[in-house]
Amino acid sequence: KQWYQRRVRGEWFCGPCKARCPTPVCLLCLHGEGAFKATANGEWVHVFCALWIPEVGFGNVEKMEPITRIKQIHPSRWALSCSFCQEKIGACTVYCVLGYIDV
């Protein structure tokens, strides 16, 4: 697709389009499509996933990028079902740390 290469004055371009990456995949949930921000090493993460996984942070909170602390995600989170999409792939978003309730 060449649509991401257009440069029109006053038009806004998302991070993946600016980086000429028209089909990003979220490093956390392993899905494409949506609002992405880059990590410090050029990978992509959904803003939603970054906000709902407590271990993850932002290098610049105002700009919400780069997404940081991916390596801080607890290993057990990768084996759980996501509280939002119910899928068991990627890093699970929001769950009770005691395991008593599914948030």
Side-chain angles (χ1 to χ4, degrees), residues 17-18 35-36 40 55 62 87:
C17 289
K18 283 187 213 174
F36 288 93
E55 297 92 340
E62 287 183 24
E87 292 187 29

Side-chain angles (χ1 to χ4, degrees), residues 2-3 5 9 14-17 23 33 37 45 55 60 62 67 73-74 82-83 85 93-94 96 98:
Q2 298 298 314
W3 60 268
Q5 293 180 348
R9 188 177 191 172
C14 68
C17 289
T23 56
E33 299 185 3
K37 289 288 188 167
V45 172
E55 297 92 340
N60 180 320
E62 287 183 24
I67 293 177
I73 297 173
H74 195 277
C82 175
S83 296
C85 72
T93 59
V94 188
C96 174
L98 296 178

Side-chain angles (χ1 to χ4, degrees), residues 16 21 23-39 43-51 53 56 67 70 73 78 89-91 93:
C21 179
T23 56
V25 174
C26 179
L27 183 63
L28 301 178
C29 75
L30 309 179
H31 289 286
E33 299 185 3
F36 288 93
K37 289 288 188 167
T39 64
E43 296 178 279
W44 299 100
V45 172
H46 287 119
V47 173
F48 181 87
C49 293
L51 289 170
I53 296 179
V56 176
I67 293 177
I70 303 292
I73 297 173
W78 296 93
I89 61 169
T93 59

